[in-house]
Amino acid sequence: MSFSRAKSRLRRPPDKRPALLCYRLAPLVLFVSSILFLSRHLALNPKEPSSSEPFLEVDATTESCYKSVRSLTSSPSGQDHTFDPSPTFPRSKHVKRDQALLRRFGCLVNEGERFLEEGLVHATGRFSNSPQDFGNHPFRDNGWSEDTANDPNPWEWDEVLDSISGGMPPMEQIFHVRLSQDQLFNNAYHRNLPNTGAEYVGHYIPPSSLIIMTDTYSPRYWVGRHGVAEDQIVEHIPRLNTLSDAVWQVWIRLTDQPGSLRYYAVENIFNEVTAALIDYLLLRDRSRASIVTWEHRVTYGLDSDEGKALLATPNSIAVLWLLVHRRDMLGRRDPRVTIFNPGMSRRMIWEFIPPGQQSTFDDYRAANFSRPGRLGRRDLNSDLSPSMSKAISKETSVDEPLGQRWGYLIEKGKNHWEQGILPAFEGRSPCPTPQWTERDLVGDDALDTGWAWKDEPGKDLPAHWKNAFELIPEGNQAGQNQETSFVSLDHNGAFTNTQCSTEVPPTLGQYYTYILPNAGAIITTVAYSPESLLREYGVPPQDMPTRLPAVHRTSDVLWLVWQSYQYQPSRFRYFAAEDILNPVTKPLLDDIFLARRGTINVPWSRRLTFDLRSDEGKALLGSPNGSAVVWVLIHRAAVLGWREVRVSVFNPGGNMRCMIWDLVPIGKRAVFGEVEGR
């Protein structure tokens, strides 16, 4: 290449295209960098909800804890789970802790500690948010309707009110308020949203500084039930949605001294997490009794694991936020919680004690775990004999032989067979056969017994019973809903007592049962006998004959139901029960499950079957849930003939303990598998 050509190339202007490209890309690079910086900053500092957005009481951490507890409710032994105490809250080596409580409810204890430290003590994080302002019409503006009426007497709270204020206030000062989210509403995301169907129902008693909530179904609960994803729920609920906010809006309207609120109570607790914890504590601290009256209540402070766990339960979240958000009116308070169960209704009452004042209720269980003095079982359940009281009250571990704890039931079951059932089979029973027939309960000429009968033919069986009856030749037909009837018997009518010839009020006894005529089976889902309920109401034994209908025993009632559906009563063979909650039978089943399977979560495929040669079989026959089988075999021996008695037990999940008795006729084969080794 010549020198002139090289010189001409050197004189050319430089190429400006790279610089121009950088110039054009610079805004884009700056924009992307800003987005990355802001996203990282927001991830480290999440935005608090604005005052126009719905506020949720439960965050993701607490919700995760609830899911963990639900997964453990069917496995109280906690063998596959350990408790990791929060490092923020060191424990003294001198404090004795209930390890079983920590295995099952440890995350609730941690959450309660977090709530106490971040919410009630320091008010940091999300607990530092100010309460929302809902304006002059909080319910109308958020799609709620309010129904307020004077309530003459909150059901079975007389003893509590006696302890609080020395008696029941005047009727005009007791308010029954029902809040229903049944109207269209707007929120920060959408307009004219459909109602959620939520309901908050309770009694408000300003003279006693008391709120009693009876039904608490939040908008968040119902929207979740309708299939809305968890991360989208906030877009489908009103701004006024939490129980704490709703309760406070009602309270400040009914009283001119809102800071006087001191007691917050919840009844009819069915939430799976809260119910499991309350059942555990009552059984542990009250001699394995599930029915604990107000007189025998248990109280805990927040310096105990039990108090912290109860604070973190779904039924107590409203208490937390009331104390956090309404601190300007309530001031600093010392919360304590009391639990009890007067019968089929778990209850919890929180007391917010002002500084310098004493608790209205008894001394509480503090951080040092110690069991209170043993209560006689007769004090709690008068239907139990002294021998039962002694055996149930004894503290034993699940590793001990069954006979050490349940020996009295084993002996009782043995006596039932040798002195009751066997003589009846041989035709020498000393017990007269009742003369009732199915016509005494059904039809226009039925006896005046107060029973109301309802039949739902074609109702399908639950899945866990279908699995059981698939093993029965006739059960393949019984599994089809056209062969099944669901019968409800409610003792809700006044009747004429045959002892005193006077009209007597109903006992409110209940029997709900499936009848499978082809399979020869009865399955009871609810069984509250009139006599057991009268005992709960405090009727003394000597007055019992004058308060009972002519037909009241479980064995008689269910046999009459069976006769009305099967023209060949001798085909009766299987007697089953589910959802067993009896305070004697329930722990007996748990001990059997734990000893044989290592967990109480025992599905049908891992069922346990026993005959009367085993201690388990005798104990189950001697249990309260075996008594109906005993009397059917004694009273109906002439119809049923000789039978071999076997029982299978299982738990398909949660608290659904099930039992099925197979009364095997002579010459027939048992269908539920081989009996367990002895």
Side-chain angles (χ1 to χ4, degrees):
M1 181 172 59
S2 65
F3 175 76
S4 58
R5 291 185 62 185
K7 187 177 180 180
S8 65
R9 289 190 63 180
L10 291 175
R11 291 175 180 172
R12 290 179 184 176
D15 190 354
K16 297 181 179 180
R17 285 178 295 177
L20 183 62
L21 181 63
C22 292
Y23 175 77
R24 291 178 176 176
L25 290 178
L28 179 61
V29 172
L30 180 62
F31 176 74
V32 172
S33 301
S34 301
I35 292 296
L36 292 175
F37 173 80
L38 288 174
S39 63
R40 183 174 182 271
H41 177 74
L42 290 176
L44 295 175
N45 302 281
K47 182 178 75 68
E48 298 291 347
S50 69
S51 59
S52 62
E53 295 177 352
F55 172 74
L56 299 178
E57 291 177 322
V58 178
D59 59 12
T61 303
T62 308
E63 192 61 48
S64 175
C65 173
Y66 293 160
K67 292 179 181 178
S68 174
V69 173
R70 291 188 193 103
S71 70
L72 286 173
T73 53
S74 60
S75 181
S77 59
Q79 295 175 346
D80 301 325
H81 302 267
T82 57
F83 171 64
D84 182 20
S86 171
T88 311
F89 307 97
R91 285 290 182 181
S92 168
K93 64 181 180 180
H94 301 294
V95 175
K96 183 180 179 181
R97 309 182 77 181
D98 179 5
Q99 297 303 315
L101 172 73
L102 299 180
R103 283 196 299 269
R104 293 187 65 186
F105 305 103
C107 72
L108 288 180
V109 177
N110 271 344
E111 284 297 286
E113 287 181 336
R114 180 170 73 94
F115 294 162
L116 176 62
E117 184 74 9
E118 297 180 7
L120 300 181
V121 177
H122 298 299
T124 59
R126 68 193 302 259
F127 298 102
S128 62
N129 296 335
S130 300
Q132 300 187 79
D133 180 11
F134 298 103
N136 297 326
H137 306 285
F139 297 122
R140 186 190 66 184
D141 294 346
N142 289 275
W144 293 87
S145 62
E146 180 183 358
D147 180 20
T148 302
N150 290 116
D151 190 355
N153 187 359
W155 181 249
E156 290 184 351
W157 285 91
D158 308 63
E159 292 179 304
V160 179
L161 287 164
D162 286 341
S163 301
I164 292 174
S165 53
M168 188 74 64
M171 183 182 72
E172 59 271 12
Q173 296 180 356
I174 304 176
F175 303 94
H176 181 266
V177 180
R178 179 183 297 274
L179 299 174
S180 303
Q181 211 288 307
D182 54 5
Q183 302 170 26
L184 298 176
F185 65 94
N186 306 323
N187 63 16
Y189 302 92
H190 305 286
R191 299 187 63 82
N192 294 325
L193 283 166
N195 70 78
T196 62
E199 259 194 349
Y200 294 134
V201 185
H203 310 279
Y204 296 77
I205 313 176
S208 301
S209 305
L210 171 65
I211 297 174
I212 305 171
M213 298 308 297
T214 58
D215 293 291
T216 55
Y217 296 103
S218 67
R220 178 177 183 172
Y221 168 80
W222 280 118
V223 169
R225 288 288 299 271
H226 294 158
V228 177
E230 185 70 25
D231 58 349
Q232 297 178 1
I233 284 180
V234 71
E235 301 180 19
H236 294 82
I237 58 177
R239 196 161 63 92
L240 174 56
N241 71 89
T242 65
L243 177 59
S244 59
D245 285 335
V247 164
W248 186 255
Q249 295 300 322
V250 174
W251 181 254
I252 61 177
R253 181 179 62 79
L254 295 177
T255 178
D256 55 0
Q257 295 180 324
S260 65
L261 179 63
R262 178 162 177 163
Y263 308 98
Y264 177 90
V266 186
E267 70 174 16
N268 300 328
I269 295 175
F270 295 110
N271 179 275
E272 188 175 2
V273 174
T274 315
L277 177 58
I278 290 178
D279 287 348
Y280 173 83
L281 294 175
L282 292 180
L283 287 167
R284 185 198 73 181
D285 288 350
R286 283 297 179 253
S287 303
R288 304 191 71 84
S290 58
I291 297 178
V292 176
T293 62
W294 174 250
E295 178 185 1
H296 302 296
R297 60 193 176 272
V298 190
T299 302
Y300 305 100
L302 291 189
D303 57 350
S304 67
D305 288 336
E306 295 82 357
K308 293 183 178 70
L310 287 165
L311 178 66
T313 59
N315 293 87
S316 296
I317 289 294
V319 171
L320 171 69
W321 287 106
L322 277 173
L323 293 173
V324 170
H325 277 164
R326 312 302 167 183
R327 182 174 295 169
D328 57 336
M329 291 191 179
L330 296 177
R332 292 276 183 177
R333 300 292 184 96
D334 175 18
R336 295 183 188 178
V337 58
T338 299
I339 57 174
F340 62 108
N341 184 349
M344 318 308 170
S345 175
R346 303 174 189 88
R347 298 185 178 186
M348 173 194 302
I349 179 167
W350 284 89
E351 181 182 10
F352 315 143
I353 306 173
Q357 296 189 22
Q358 298 295 319
S359 172
T360 306
F361 308 137
D362 297 342
D363 189 18
Y364 62 95
R365 309 270 76 77
N368 290 312
F369 167 61
S370 60
R371 300 180 188 272
R374 288 283 164 248
L375 297 174
R377 289 288 303 188
R378 184 163 291 278
D379 296 335
L380 303 174
N381 281 319
S382 59
D383 59 322
L384 301 183
S385 66
S387 60
M388 284 189 185
S389 306
K390 183 177 180 180
I392 292 292
S393 299
K394 181 186 176 187
E395 290 301 319
T396 60
S397 72
V398 297
D399 296 325
E400 291 178 325
L402 193 73
Q404 287 187 241
R405 183 174 181 186
W406 302 105
Y408 80 100
L409 283 184
I410 296 172
E411 188 65 24
K412 189 175 182 180
K414 180 181 177 182
N415 291 338
H416 282 337
W417 172 258
E418 294 179 350
Q419 301 175 22
I421 299 174
L422 193 58
F425 287 167
E426 295 174 348
R428 51 185 180 87
S429 173
C431 305
T433 301
Q435 300 304 311
W436 315 120
T437 69
E438 70 275 12
R439 293 186 300 277
D440 294 330
L441 286 182
V442 189
D444 297 334
D445 58 343
L447 289 180
D448 178 20
T449 58
W451 289 101
W453 179 298
K454 182 182 178 182
D455 183 8
E456 299 179 50
K459 188 168 183 177
D460 207 3
L461 277 179
H464 53 275
W465 288 119
K466 284 186 177 180
N467 294 336
F469 284 98
E470 283 177 354
L471 300 176
I472 304 171
E474 299 86 351
N476 292 326
Q477 300 175 7
Q480 307 298 320
N481 58 14
Q482 66 265 25
E483 301 294 339
T484 305
S485 290
F486 185 76
V487 179
S488 306
L489 280 172
D490 293 278
H491 195 254
N492 55 16
F495 64 96
T496 302
N497 181 269
T498 56
Q499 294 283 332
C500 57
S501 300
T502 58
E503 189 172 80
V504 179
T507 64
L508 304 182
Q510 286 183 325
Y511 293 104
Y512 295 171
T513 181
Y514 288 93
I515 305 296
L516 288 69
N518 288 351
I522 295 176
I523 305 172
T524 59
T525 60
V526 173
Y528 296 127
S529 70
E531 188 172 356
S532 66
L533 291 176
L534 289 179
R535 288 196 195 100
E536 284 190 22
Y537 304 152
V539 176
Q542 62 270 21
D543 295 341
M544 201 71 71
T546 63
R547 296 289 302 274
L548 289 169
V551 182
H552 65 272
R553 294 185 181 87
T554 302
S555 57
D556 290 338
V557 172
L558 295 181
W559 181 260
L560 297 186
V561 172
W562 168 253
Q563 280 187 319
S564 67
Y565 283 88
Q566 176 54 264
Y567 63 91
Q568 292 181 311
S570 60
R571 293 188 62 179
F572 178 67
R573 176 168 173 175
Y574 306 100
F575 185 87
E578 70 176 19
D579 197 16
I580 295 174
L581 301 174
N582 181 275
V584 176
T585 315
K586 179 180 174 181
L588 169 62
L589 286 171
D590 288 350
D591 280 0
I592 293 174
F593 290 143
L594 289 169
R596 294 280 187 168
R597 294 289 186 260
T599 174
I600 69 166
N601 187 17
V602 179
W604 173 252
S605 61
R606 300 187 65 208
R607 63 191 176 276
L608 294 161
T609 301
F610 305 99
D611 60 17
L612 296 189
R613 291 173 291 180
S614 66
D615 286 346
E616 291 89 345
K618 295 187 185 78
L620 290 166
L621 187 69
S623 71
N625 289 80
S627 62
V629 176
V630 172
W631 287 110
V632 165
L633 290 173
I634 292 175
H635 283 158
R636 315 296 170 180
V639 176
L640 298 176
W642 280 80
R643 299 293 178 101
E644 178 191 355
V645 180
R646 294 190 176 198
V647 57
S648 297
V649 293
F650 63 103
N651 183 353
N655 291 316
M656 187 64 71
R657 297 164 183 82
C658 300
M659 175 189 301
I660 179 167
W661 293 89
D662 184 3
L663 312 179
V664 187
I666 299 300
K668 296 287 187 179
R669 182 179 60 87
V671 297
F672 295 141
E674 295 298 322
V675 297
E676 297 295 316
R678 288 172 290 282

